[in-house]
């Protein structure tokens, strides 16, 4: 565990401010410079979520070398300069091993980038510091989100994680998802052990705030790939550390704001891991903690996020009226934030509640709002945590609404679209949408197609650990039992039973 904050070939070194980068910013504020970075990214077909916080981390020396997406943007903004000219360390020095071959080196003129055209938005899966983790796999699609390519089914052939560290690769091969979490949460996980949280915590600074934000991103990335079951217990320790840091206090208000926002987002992420692994009471507690944190710090974005997840949990826990109310509360809070995509997702949360109440009219109206809002496209106001929300998620949530209302053919159509549109990076969601499709087909009287879809889910369960997916597949198996003589059904039931026994 003590080596998880750096790769085995790296040695910790003190941070040095990046004075060259600060000089290039000139008289512009960090926020104005971040906006210029985003504009430059769009000029070359990149999509990065640069903000004032990122600029501050670069200037403070926390980010010694940018990821490939940011490198392309910076070299476009300052032609003729190298990363070293911009104040960054050579990539090989930071990584402790050779950089990418020359033919793969990023260029602002290279429009066939594996990371921007076929990758996914997320973080590097290597060591947390000092290498820049956010946004490694940014990419542009026609709708403006970075995580989805419409109509593309060959992205898995070009998706390559060039940033995966030796530490995490070994952890995954030897210990599965839980070990990946331990290796990936970096120094924040180390301070989150039970013994660490019992010790006095010093006043927090920008380093702790940055580590907290990185922990949130890592948990989201790992959940996207592997599901919640192996992550929940590991992720609870960093959450305890986060609130210990809040109690310890800080000398700067900006750092305090980052800590409150980070702790709240981490509480939501841990709550989601509990939610997705069937621990509804734990999830409710974590979401309530995030909501309280948001209200104490006056953070409407965090409050809307907490209500969004509360609505989703209420739907799954069989409290549809609470789901509607929580979703409506989230929409009231989020409306001034100026993100149509966020409002679209919240309308879908409301639609799920109306479906649970068997109110078809209310559900259809909320779905229509969600689709209209989604159609307005992306915005710079879109929250970072919404990276999962694209057309595939829109289709998947609509499929769940129709399934709840008992319209199996319509639900199956949307579930099939969701699985077909989903980016290969989001393995857990592919398994979820395909499980939804299998169940809708089974209940709609198409057992052979349901069995084939169920087989595809079973193929993914070696990589995905999600109680939600497993429970859905178990329900599908029960529905298919009377049809065991149909083509493919018997083979699916036998394989599912074997998987259940081994689990």
């Amino acid at each position: 565990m003590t080596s998880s904050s750096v790769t085995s070939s790296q040695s910790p070194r003190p941070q040095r401010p990046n004075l060259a980068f600060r000089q290039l910013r000139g008289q512009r504020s960090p926020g104005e410079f971040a906006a210029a970075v985003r504009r430059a990214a769009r000029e070359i077909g990149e999509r990065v979520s640069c903000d004032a916080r990122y600029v501050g981390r670069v200037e403070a020396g926390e980010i010694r070398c940018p990821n490939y997406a940011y490198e392309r943007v910076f070299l476009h903004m300052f032609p003729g300069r190298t990363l070293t000219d911009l104040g960054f360390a050579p990539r090989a020095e930071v990584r402790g091993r050779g950089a990418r071959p020359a033919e793969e080196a990023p260029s602002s003129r290279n429009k066939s980038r594996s990371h921007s055209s076929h990758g996914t938005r997320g973080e590097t899966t290597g060591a947390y510091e000092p290498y820049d983790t956010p946004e490694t796999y940014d990419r542009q699609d026609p709708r403006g989100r970075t995580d989805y390519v419409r109509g593309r089914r060959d992205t898995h052939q070009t998706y390559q994680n060039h940033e995966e560290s030796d530490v995490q690769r070994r952890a995954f091969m030897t210990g599965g998802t839980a070990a990946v979490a331990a290796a990936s949460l970096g120094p924040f996980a180390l301070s989150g052990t039970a013994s660490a949280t019992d010790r006095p915590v010093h006043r927090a600074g920008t380093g702790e705030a940055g580590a907290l934000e990185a922990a949130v991103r890592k948990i989201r990335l790992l959940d996207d790939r592997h599901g919640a079951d192996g992550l929940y217990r590991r992720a609870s320790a960093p959450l305890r550390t986060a609130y210990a840091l809040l109690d310890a206090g800080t000398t700067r208000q900006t750092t305090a704001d980052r800590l409150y926002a980070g702790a709240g987002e981490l509480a939501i992420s841990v709550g989601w891991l509990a939610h997705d692994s069937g621990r509804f009471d734990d999830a409710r507690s974590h979401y309530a903690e995030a909501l309280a944190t948001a209200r104490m710090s006056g953070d409407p974005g965090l409050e809307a996020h907490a209500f969004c997840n509360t609505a989703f949990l209420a739907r799954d826990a069989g409290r549809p009226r609470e789901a509607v109310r929580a979703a409506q509360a989230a929409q009231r809070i989020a409306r001034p934030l100026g993100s149509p995509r966020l409002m679209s997702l919240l309308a879908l949360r409301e639609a799920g509640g109306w479906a649970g109440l068997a109110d078809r009219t209310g559900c259809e109206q909320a779905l229509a709002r969600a689709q209209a809002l989604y159609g307005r496209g992306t915005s710079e106001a879109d929250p970072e945590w919404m990276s999962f929300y694209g057309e595939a998620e829109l289709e998947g949530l609509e499929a769940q609404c129709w399934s709840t209302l008992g319209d199996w053919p319509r639900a199956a159509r949307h579930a099939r679209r969701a699985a077909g549109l989903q980016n290969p990076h989001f393995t857990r969601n592919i398994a979820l949408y395909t499980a939804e499709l299998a169940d809708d087909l089974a209940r709609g009287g198409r057992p052979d197609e349901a069995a084939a879809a169920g087989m595809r889910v079973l193929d993914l369960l070696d990589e995905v650990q999600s109680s939600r997916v497993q429970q859905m597949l178990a329900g599908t198996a029960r529905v298919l039992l009377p049809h065991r003589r149909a083509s493919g059904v018997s083979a699916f039931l036998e394989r599912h039973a074997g998987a259940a026994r081994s689990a």
Side-chain angles (χ1 to χ4, degrees):
M1 290 291 291
T2 57
S3 63
S4 64
S5 62
V6 291
T7 61
S8 57
S9 57
Q10 289 175 316
S11 59
R13 29 178 104 196
Q15 292 177 7
R16 296 179 181 176
N18 188 334
L19 301 180
F21 198 87
R22 173 63 188 89
Q23 186 175 9
L24 289 169
R25 176 161 66 85
Q27 298 301 312
R28 289 174 289 187
S29 71
E32 291 170 339
F33 188 76
V37 172
R38 295 193 299 271
R39 284 194 299 270
R42 288 193 291 270
E43 289 172 3
I44 61 171
E46 284 290 356
R47 177 86 174 179
V48 296
S49 297
C50 185
D51 56 14
R53 221 161 19 186
Y54 179 89
V55 174
R57 290 182 63 207
V58 172
E59 294 179 357
E62 293 179 40
I63 297 171
R64 292 178 55 211
C65 183
N67 62 39
Y68 291 112
Y70 275 106
E71 179 179 350
R72 285 187 288 271
V73 176
F74 292 151
L75 296 183
H76 171 69
M77 291 178 70
F78 305 106
R81 288 183 168 92
T82 65
L83 281 183
T84 305
D85 297 332
L86 302 181
F88 293 109
R91 190 174 302 281
E93 176 185 324
V94 173
R95 298 301 296 162
R97 62 185 184 188
R100 264 199 286 179
E103 63 271 16
E104 296 182 43
S107 165
S108 63
R109 296 181 299 274
N110 181 4
K111 300 302 180 182
S112 58
R113 303 174 299 271
S114 63
H115 290 306
S116 63
S117 297
H118 303 297
T120 58
R121 180 177 183 272
E123 299 77 40
T124 68
T125 48
Y128 156 60
E129 292 291 2
Y131 198 77
D132 174 27
T133 55
E135 308 299 330
T136 299
Y137 298 115
D138 288 334
R139 67 164 174 199
Q140 179 76 44
D141 83 331
R143 298 179 310 281
R145 278 313 302 174
T146 60
D147 304 289
Y148 306 85
V149 173
R150 184 172 188 172
R152 292 295 296 272
R153 299 304 301 145
D154 62 343
T155 51
H156 67 281
Q157 297 170 354
T158 52
Y159 171 79
Q160 296 176 344
N161 190 343
H162 291 290
E163 304 299 335
E164 185 177 47
S165 73
D166 295 330
V167 172
Q168 181 154 326
R169 188 181 297 110
R170 287 197 300 271
F172 180 76
M173 294 177 67
T174 58
T177 308
V180 175
S184 301
L185 295 180
F188 208 77
L190 299 179
S191 64
T193 60
S195 60
T197 52
D198 291 337
R199 296 195 297 268
V201 179
H202 62 82
R203 283 184 176 271
T206 57
E208 286 80 3
L212 172 55
E213 291 157 356
V216 174
R217 295 187 182 104
K218 285 293 183 185
I219 289 171
R220 289 173 182 161
L221 177 66
L222 290 165
D223 176 54
D224 290 340
R225 295 302 302 271
H226 306 294
D229 287 8
L231 289 171
Y232 174 58
R233 295 302 179 192
R234 296 275 184 174
S236 298
L239 181 59
R240 291 193 296 271
T241 304
Y243 280 98
L245 289 172
L246 285 179
D247 287 339
T250 182
T251 57
R252 295 183 178 181
Q253 185 60 44
T254 54
T255 303
D257 292 342
R258 288 177 65 185
L259 286 172
Y260 271 102
E265 290 294 343
L266 185 56
I268 291 173
S269 292
V270 176
W272 166 249
L273 296 177
H275 180 175
D276 196 43
S277 56
R279 300 174 174 93
F280 288 174
D281 289 341
D282 287 354
R284 190 177 180 88
S285 174
H286 289 307
Y287 292 160
E289 193 168 32
L291 189 58
T293 302
R295 288 176 170 173
M296 283 189 293
S297 59
D299 188 336
L302 179 60
E303 187 174 1
H305 190 186
F307 268 126
C308 175
N309 279 44
T310 298
F312 200 22
L313 174 65
R315 187 207 71 169
D316 287 351
R319 300 190 298 271
R321 197 169 300 281
E322 180 185 329
V324 170
R325 290 174 177 170
Q328 290 173 341
Q331 289 171 80
R332 287 194 299 272
I333 295 160
R335 193 167 287 111
L337 300 178
S339 170
R341 285 287 165 92
L342 175 57
M343 293 297 293
S344 172
L345 177 60
L346 297 176
L348 283 170
R349 297 287 186 246
E350 181 183 341
W354 289 124
L357 291 168
D359 187 334
R360 190 182 184 98
T361 300
C363 180
E364 288 178 337
Q365 290 173 347
L367 287 174
R369 285 204 315 277
Q371 291 160 354
L373 288 162
Y374 184 89
R376 294 184 187 177
T378 59
S379 162
E380 291 186 357
D382 294 344
E384 179 184 350
W385 60 266
M386 284 188 63
S387 62
F388 70 93
Y389 186 55
E391 192 170 2
E393 182 74 4
L394 175 67
E395 294 284 352
L397 291 174
E398 183 164 354
Q400 292 172 15
C401 289
W402 294 120
S403 180
T404 302
L405 290 169
D407 191 337
W408 313 119
R410 199 166 184 175
R413 285 198 301 274
H414 287 283
R416 194 185 302 277
R417 288 179 198 156
L421 288 166
Q422 184 60 74
N423 188 298
H425 165 73
F426 290 83
T427 314
R428 178 260 181 199
N429 280 1
I430 293 175
L432 176 67
Y433 302 149
T434 310
E436 175 70 38
L437 173 62
D439 197 62
D440 294 333
L441 290 169
R443 297 177 189 278
R446 297 157 72 179
D448 51 342
E449 295 180 56
M455 283 291 200
R456 295 196 294 275
V457 179
L458 289 171
D459 290 339
L460 295 170
L461 289 187
D462 288 339
E463 188 176 353
V464 174
Q465 299 178 31
S466 170
S467 295
R468 177 192 300 268
V469 173
Q470 292 166 358
Q471 289 167 5
M472 291 175 67
L473 207 58
T476 301
R478 287 192 294 270
V479 174
L480 289 178
L481 275 174
H483 306 280
R484 62 172 61 249
R485 292 187 179 181
S487 174
V489 173
S490 179
F492 164 72
L493 292 174
E494 290 175 6
R495 185 177 170 192
H496 177 264
R501 284 192 298 269
S502 63

